[in-house]
Amino acid sequence: MAILIQNAEVVSATETKRTNVRVEHEKIAAVGEDVVAESGDEIVDGSDQLLIPGGVDPHVHMALPFMGTVSIDDFESGTIAGIMGGTTSLIDFAIPAKGESLLETLDVWYEKSAGKAAHDYTFHMAVVDWDERIAEEIPKVVSDHGITSFKIFMAYKGVFDVNDEQIFHILEATKAAGGFVNVHAVNGDIQLMLADRFAEQGNTDTRYHALAQPPRAEGEATGRVIDLGAIVEQQVYIVHVTCEPAVERIAAARARGEPVWGETCPQYLLLDDSLYDLPDFEGAKYVLSPPLRKKKDQDVLWRALADNEISVMGTDHCAFTFSEQKQMGRDDFRLIPNGFMGLQERLPLLYTHGVTKGRISANRWVELCSTNPAKIFGLYPRKGTIEVGSDADLVLWDPAATDTISAETHFSRCDYNVYEGFETMGGPTKVWVRGELAASEGEFVGTVGRGEFVKRPPR
Ligand code: URP
Ligand code: ZN
Ligand code: ZN
């Protein structure tokens, strides 16, 4: 059956226009003021609402084996949470252990996502080592699997990290294969050394997690990988940017015309490092890497979002329960599983604190949360836009809706929410996933397993 959504303000990255959108067979079939219902169409009235392309979250970790446990949201609960917040595509990270094959790792990720996702998805391929087999596998990851983005970690020393020489090889190999690189940029040597030094001094509580990753250690690594990328003439995307020194490096590279992008996440705009001082181990709820920073860094990030120095809003959704998983590090911050939620909260938080407070326009909100990630990661124009032929991943957004974020009502499996009690303005009233209604008035009505793996073309 076809659907006509009429009278909504259709918000794209570049304009806002009252128009009608007709959906047929999973795709957008027509867009225009003169588009009218055909016989048998379901008509949806979008008066007083915005219609936006579904959010694309380029940075999530579903059921990630990490730090001795597995992140609590999988492709089922994570995609449902995303849909309930207006997100309809995600990019997870297939991460091997050192010494493991990339292609075998992909098989593990195909298996754990199969039949579970309620919306479409794809993977970044993490490279945590460098050897002959990896060199042979990288072109196959692109050509056979349609995975064009490769993730490297400069941090998590001894677990996921790669050194400068390995980074250089990975930049060259991914470029030759038609892919590019996204980077967790923090100086892993300094982080490990400081963390161990704090622990040896008996400083094991959560605030030392943040002190072991100073902003300059993030800025240094960001600048270093940007420079390595420039030598190889390879594109570089910096994930979860948190602080002024990193923004400065990205902004300088972009001003030089280099193909560099930065991503930040809601937590770095809205939460700060004073939370690590909470009593009773409550600070562990906020432990992630890089850590939360100072209020002054938040101001820098908001400005960088508005000025196009930072191009994408991700989440780094990687949630662990407080009652069990975070307790692993009760006596030693180095053992607290790193990460927390954001999939459901991303669009409402950025709308509330960005759009309604006048920091960014509604168009920029769409660009940051949907269009830019779709473009940068090769999902555009299938995703990230409302155009004839695009997937009908659509969100009807009520700008006047209000809500209060709570673990009592969120769709993540996590037993707490870092944004507990945060009030939001604006939220999705209806969400369609490839033309099928998936959320309506706060209820999930979609289909687990509807989500498909999306292959992406080489760059
Ligand atoms: O603390 C975080 N960010 N956990 C997830 C893994 C990563 O570094 O992105
Ligand atoms: Zn990371
Ligand atoms: Zn991450």
Side-chain angles (χ1 to χ4, degrees):
M1 190 175 72
I3 308 164
L4 183 78
I5 305 165
Q6 58 185 19
N7 298 322
E9 297 283 336
V10 175
V11 183
S12 76
T14 50
E15 62 172 1
T16 304
K17 194 173 173 193
R18 177 163 307 191
T19 192
N20 301 335
V21 175
R22 189 161 182 278
V23 171
E24 210 178 330
H25 306 307
E26 305 195 354
K27 299 277 181 192
I28 295 170
V31 180
E33 288 149 89
D34 53 351
V35 172
V36 291
E38 295 180 17
S39 152
D41 280 7
E42 178 195 346
I43 297 179
V44 176
D45 181 26
S47 300
D48 302 321
Q49 303 202 52
L50 313 180
L51 185 69
I52 60 170
V56 176
D57 191 336
H59 189 154
V60 306
H61 303 278
M62 305 286 94
L64 175 69
F66 187 45
M67 298 187 73
T69 183
V70 178
S71 64
I72 193 74
D73 283 313
D74 63 9
F75 280 85
E76 179 173 334
S77 61
T79 53
I80 292 173
I83 286 169
M84 300 314 294
T87 285
T88 53
S89 307
L90 63 74
I91 315 183
D92 193 14
F93 295 81
I95 309 182
K98 283 186 188 284
E100 285 180 357
S101 142
L102 305 186
L103 301 180
E104 285 168 18
T105 300
L106 283 179
D107 286 340
V108 174
W109 254 257
Y110 288 135
E111 199 172 315
K112 77 164 130 173
S113 54
K116 288 203 151 186
H119 64 59
D120 290 350
Y121 58 96
T122 177
F123 309 140
H124 308 285
M125 179 80 249
V127 183
V128 300
D129 238 332
W130 179 254
D131 57 31
E132 222 167 274
R133 179 171 61 175
I134 291 172
E136 280 165 18
E137 288 183 330
I138 283 175
K140 294 185 187 144
V141 170
V142 176
S143 61
D144 301 355
H145 297 265
I147 293 173
T148 53
S149 44
F150 292 82
K151 172 73 178 288
I152 57 173
F153 296 89
M154 299 169 85
Y156 302 124
K157 180 98 180 144
V159 182
F160 295 146
D161 69 307
V162 278
N163 64 30
D164 288 354
E165 185 182 337
Q166 293 169 323
I167 292 172
F168 201 89
H169 289 303
I170 295 164
L171 288 165
E172 284 183 325
T174 53
K175 183 181 175 189
F180 73 111
V181 163
N182 47 14
V183 190
H184 175 132
V186 171
N187 185 316
D189 288 320
I190 300 303
Q191 178 184 351
L192 181 64
M193 182 271 291
L194 285 177
D196 287 347
R197 178 191 286 175
F198 287 134
E200 278 157 24
Q201 291 165 342
N203 296 318
T204 52
D205 60 40
T206 52
R207 75 173 64 93
Y208 292 96
H209 169 77
L211 293 173
Q213 300 183 60
R216 284 293 179 103
E218 183 180 335
E220 183 279 325
T222 302
R224 180 158 37 103
V225 76
I226 287 172
D227 286 343
L228 295 177
I231 295 168
V232 178
E233 295 186 9
Q234 170 61 312
Q235 318 187 10
V236 173
Y237 175 100
I238 311 290
V239 302
H240 50 41
V241 174
T242 73
C243 59
E244 187 167 25
V247 171
E248 279 171 0
R249 264 62 168 214
I250 294 165
R254 289 172 65 78
R256 291 192 295 269
E258 293 167 14
V260 170
W261 295 280
E263 162 204 282
T264 192
C265 310
Q267 57 269 28
Y268 299 118
L269 298 164
L270 300 170
L271 305 173
D272 68 71
D273 64 358
S274 63
L275 291 161
Y276 295 126
D277 294 330
L278 287 174
D280 301 327
F281 196 56
E282 287 281 311
K285 291 178 174 174
Y286 305 90
V287 164
L288 84 168
S289 289
L292 302 174
R293 302 296 192 189
K294 306 270 180 225
K295 289 218 159 61
K296 77 172 174 50
D297 294 297
Q298 297 177 2
D299 295 340
V300 169
L301 289 171
W302 278 115
R303 190 202 44 72
L305 282 176
D307 292 351
N308 201 26
E309 291 172 359
I310 298 286
S311 311
V312 171
M313 178 65 48
T315 60
D316 199 5
H317 186 111
C318 187
F320 299 96
T321 62
F322 182 63
S323 59
E324 287 188 17
Q325 293 174 301
K326 291 278 183 182
Q327 299 302 321
M328 294 165 66
R330 188 167 259 280
D331 299 322
D332 184 344
F333 70 88
R334 294 174 299 175
L335 304 178
I336 301 169
N338 285 202
F340 54 70
M341 65 292 300
L343 259 165
Q344 189 176 348
E345 297 80 14
R346 179 179 66 136
L347 268 75
L349 284 174
L350 195 63
Y351 191 85
T352 304
H353 294 276
V355 179
T356 75
K357 294 189 176 168
R359 288 168 161 144
I360 55 169
S361 67
N363 306 98
R364 181 69 176 150
W365 168 65
V366 167
E367 188 171 42
L368 290 164
C369 294
S370 178
T371 311
N372 274 356
K375 280 186 174 170
I376 292 169
F377 290 105
L379 292 166
Y380 187 90
R382 179 163 170 189
K383 310 288 186 188
T385 183
I386 300 179
E387 278 176 56
V388 174
S390 298
D391 282 355
D393 287 349
L394 295 166
V395 178
L396 200 55
W397 185 271
D398 181 356
T402 56
D403 200 4
T404 305
I405 295 174
S406 175
E408 298 287 310
T409 50
H410 72 194
F411 284 78
S412 162
R413 293 198 181 122
C414 200
D415 58 358
Y416 75 97
N417 192 305
V418 290
Y419 305 106
E420 185 74 33
F422 274 50
E423 292 183 356
T424 53
M425 170 71 104
T429 50
K430 289 191 190 306
V431 179
W432 291 267
V433 170
R434 297 201 329 273
E436 181 188 275
L437 193 64
S440 183
E441 312 296 343
E443 297 287 325
F444 174 70
V445 297
T447 308
V448 170
R450 179 168 176 74
E452 291 174 356
F453 179 82
V454 180
K455 284 187 171 184
R456 296 173 280 147
R459 299 181 65 85

